[in-house]
Amino acid sequence: MSVASWNTEYQQWRHLPSSRTNKASRALRWFANHGLSNIPKTGLILDVGCGSGRNSFFLASRGWRVIGVDYSDAAIHLAKAAARRTKLARLASFSVHDVTKRFPLRDQSCDAAIDMSCLHLLNKLGRHAYARETYRVLRPGGYLLIFTIASCSATRRWRRAHPGSEPRSYVIPQNGNQEKAFLRLEITNLFHRLHLASWRTLPISVHAFGGMHKVNYHLALFQRPQISLVDKKRGKLGRKTGCDHL
């Protein structure tokens, strides 16, 4: 969906329930009990595809610093206004940004990144660029929480009726948006440099294609290893050759 379409969505609240609620995602509330407690309150969390900031505010209200990015300037305008209104601007900041481009963050600067339904909106090239960037900005030991659409009977019906441009993708006729439903293996392969800490598949009732449907969602919690695979290989090489590594 184009930037203009997303701006219209956030200005008029036309199709997506998530664009007109202030309640944090169910997946993020689960993460609050499975991983968040390991992140110090001085830590920084990246909210990818933050929309109008509902999940960022959930985190900021509990003391974490959050940076939310979204390529809809209308959504970011709403998020910034809400931050001022709720007096959370000290902890929650927002910027217009395409999540398939380099994040405006230093290497290994984030203790966690969350993606509450952004990944399935990206094309193949965008997903790979996004995976590289999330790895780059996560600190060793940092978490990545992904909540995205799973391939299921509902998405297969949608694919047959409104096929998209890649496997398991479909087009939503109301807004022209293409979404991709994922197999578990596709997601673990995409984030292969991260350790899979937890995996759940959740049935969610969603409003789509003019009615309510039961759709499965993947909830995946990844963690960046303390030592990368490259460092491990270097360590083995050093032991074999007697080299010192600074």
Side-chain angles (χ1 to χ4, degrees):
M1 196 155 70
S2 67
V3 174
S5 297
W6 277 113
N7 285 342
T8 299
E9 176 65 42
Y10 281 103
Q11 290 162 347
Q12 300 180 11
W13 297 294
R14 297 175 62 187
H15 299 294
L16 301 177
S18 62
S19 69
R20 55 180 183 267
T21 181
N22 295 321
K23 187 180 294 186
S25 166
R26 172 181 173 183
L28 183 58
R29 296 197 300 270
W30 173 86
F31 184 45
N33 299 315
H34 299 82
L36 268 180
S37 60
N38 297 325
I39 300 173
K41 287 300 174 72
T42 55
L44 177 64
I45 300 176
L46 173 65
D47 185 358
V48 180
C50 65
S52 55
R54 64 191 180 110
N55 293 307
S56 295
F57 295 132
F58 174 86
L59 296 168
S61 67
R62 285 156 178 76
W64 283 282
R65 293 181 299 126
V66 188
I67 294 178
V69 295
D70 198 291
Y71 86 155
S72 166
D73 51 295
I76 294 300
H77 175 78
L78 291 171
K80 287 181 175 180
R84 291 190 297 269
R85 189 170 60 249
T86 57
K87 300 181 180 180
L88 288 172
R90 183 178 60 85
L91 291 173
S93 61
F94 301 93
S95 63
V96 178
H97 184 74
D98 181 345
V99 302
T100 66
K101 309 298 182 186
R102 183 178 176 89
F103 291 129
L105 294 163
R106 297 189 307 275
D107 294 358
Q108 300 183 18
S109 58
C110 294
D111 294 273
I114 63 167
D115 173 353
M116 302 292 95
S117 299
C118 178
L119 182 66
H120 55 250
L121 299 169
L122 306 178
N123 62 27
K124 185 175 181 178
L125 288 176
R127 291 193 297 270
H128 283 277
Y130 162 76
R132 289 192 299 270
E133 274 299 285
T134 51
Y135 181 85
R136 180 184 68 80
V137 301
L138 281 178
R139 290 190 176 114
Y143 292 98
L144 171 64
L145 181 67
I146 297 283
F147 185 61
T148 194
I149 297 173
S151 180
C152 60
S153 58
T155 63
R156 288 191 286 272
R157 288 196 305 272
W158 299 343
R159 163 71 176 169
R160 288 191 295 269
H162 306 281
S165 60
E166 60 175 314
R168 287 170 294 282
S169 68
Y170 50 87
V171 176
I172 299 176
Q174 289 90 337
N175 56 24
N177 198 26
Q178 178 168 295
E179 296 181 343
K180 177 174 170 59
F182 291 96
L183 302 176
R184 172 171 172 157
L185 184 61
E186 290 178 301
I187 297 176
T188 55
N189 284 346
L190 182 62
F191 297 101
H192 66 277
R193 299 173 74 186
L194 301 174
H195 166 69
L196 179 60
S198 178
W199 188 283
R200 302 178 76 193
T201 300
L202 306 173
I204 306 289
S205 294
V206 300
H207 187 272
F209 296 93
M212 295 300 297
H213 302 267
K214 279 282 188 183
V215 181
N216 287 346
Y217 275 73
H218 293 309
L219 176 58
L221 180 63
F222 292 94
Q223 188 173 26
R224 176 166 174 166
Q226 294 287 350
I227 301 176
S228 71
L229 294 176
V230 172
D231 290 335
K232 286 183 178 181
K233 290 178 181 178
R234 285 174 178 167
K236 289 179 181 178
L237 180 63
R239 286 193 294 274
K240 287 179 180 178
T241 62
C243 296
D244 291 324
H245 295 277
L246 299 179

